[in-house]
Amino acid sequence: MVIALLSACLFLVSPCQTGGAKPRAIILIYADDLGYGDLGCYGATRVKTPNMDRLAQEGLRHTSAYCTSATCTPSRYALLTGEYPWRRKGTTVLPGDANLVIEPGRATLASRLRQAGYRTGVVGKWHLGLGKGKVDWNQPITPGPLDIGFDSCFLLPATGDRVPCVYVRDRTVENLDQGDPIRVSYGKPLDDSPTGKSRPDLLKMKPSHGHDMTIVNGVSRIGSMTGGRKARWVDEEMADTLTREAVRFINQSGDQPFFLYFALHDIHVPRVPHPRFAGKSGMGPRGDAIVQADWCVGEIMKALESRGLAMDSLVILSSDNGPVVDDGYQDEAVAKLGDHKPAGPWRGGKYSRFEGGTRIPLVVRWPTRVKPGNQSAALISQVDFLASLSALAGLADPVSSASDSQDQHAALLGNAPSGRSSLVIQGLGDGPASKLAVRKGDWKYIEPGNGPKKNQATNTELGNDRAPQLFNLVQDPGETTNLAHQETIRVREMADLLEKIRMGAP
Ligand code: NG6
Ligand code: CA
């Protein structure tokens, strides 16, 4: 006990590489599909997000922050590994029975912070695969987060709309009855139980595209699952369950500094908020899920405050990709959208190489180091979190496998006006075959490709074109005027820059 206290004191007074005390705790609240325009502090008016807005009032609001990719798995891969996901095949949106895509032993955001003395935990949506080979959900599942730097985990293995619809605590399925083993298939249905397709009358929310296989809690999902009935989640309770686990992690950390990666399920589909949030936004379940996500943020702050940690802890709020309105369920999101703009001023949304796909909210609160109430237009990517948070935690040595991750801690905290000189944006696609875009200064270049212009199902403009596209994001934030014809030299320079980065240049 004495030793623990002593080391905690030493930790607190030891300066970090960046000229100040290390954060007492680091909490990364990572929302799912939350758009730039979905938060009050980024301009939303109809849906209220008082807890998120308070973070921004007490901290720094970034306006030029990006996730690496317009979907979940690749953005999370980059966030944890510090490597652009398009360098690696197999990092696209994963099925629920996929294997872990980050190899054990590799440096991750979690392993780095653990090395720096932090207790590390992940609670919430994982979607980076689990296990190796055919996963047996009835046995300890390995490898997983515990093999890439986390001391504990409590997970949704993939997404809310993908089987298996169970939680995994550390290596095992929570509440599993061994007499009712779980089986999962992403091929043929495993039995002839009713599905969303065969028995839509059993559903409380019907799919609009896909999502018509196994029914769990009255909602049909992607993939087939049998067994594990006692272990299946109840969507309405998910935000409470995950928040309880996150708060427990905070409270159990004692005197040790800690890093919590709290990956919300909200506001991904299926949007089935708790009854106390249902109807609260007037915008249907999508808006209600935002209200619920905001509540989760408030609970985390309460937990930090009640432990006296809110002043010297770093809290980061962000999202894994841009927003989508109809993402496969008939949940009134389109009908009740009105004049709400989920992507704010940006064009496109989730799945898109237009700004709406990857320009995400990023709020940073750390009262002892970050001035309250400011905003920053510094260029910053979530791929930088590994190097930047490592530096803030006192580790300055570079990580060779994280060569895309730049130490942008000064920009992250609002102390550097420009941040990165350039960054790469991924829309859809897997690994090196992905079509990309690059931003440098005020300019954005979208490389040509054959993909469809629009995702008809989600009604999203994808940013694809057979011709090169060049936009000046300062004069034309809505990417309405393609300047590629006028600016041929700049197009060449941007294409060359993208090629160099593809070949490994920073
Ligand atoms: C799509 C799903 C969508 C969502 C997405 C992944 C269909 C028709 N659409 O394939 O609902 O699950 O994958 O979202 O199945 S992400 O945020 O995890 O990347
Ligand atoms: Ca997502």
Side-chain angles (χ1 to χ4, degrees), residues 32-33 71-72 93 125 127 159 161-162 209-211 222 268-269 320-321 327 350-351:
D32 198 351
D33 298 0
T71 57
C72 165
V93 175
K125 177 179 175 177
H127 212 186
T159 61
D161 56 346
R162 283 174 176 75
H209 43 275
H211 302 109
I222 308 171
H268 199 278
V269 296
D320 69 336
N321 51 250
D327 204 16
K350 181 176 180 177
Y351 310 117

Side-chain angles (χ1 to χ4, degrees), residues 430-451:
D430 187 6
S434 306
K435 286 291 171 213
L436 304 173
V438 64
R439 169 147 184 209
K440 185 176 193 320
D442 297 352
W443 294 89
K444 170 159 170 200
Y445 165 73
I446 305 182
E447 66 175 341
N450 290 332

Side-chain angles (χ1 to χ4, degrees), residues 83-87 379 383 403-406 420-425 436-440 445 493-506:
E83 179 185 53
Y84 279 132
W86 41 264
R87 297 201 189 282
L379 201 55
V383 79
S403 56
D404 296 312
S405 190
Q406 298 180 1
R420 283 182 156 257
S421 71
S422 66
L423 55 77
V424 176
I425 290 162
L436 304 173
V438 64
R439 169 147 184 209
K440 185 176 193 320
Y445 165 73
E493 282 169 3
M494 296 289 276
D496 287 350
L497 171 66
L498 180 55
E499 223 33 55
K500 278 199 198 111
I501 301 173
R502 232 200 278 270
M503 299 311 286

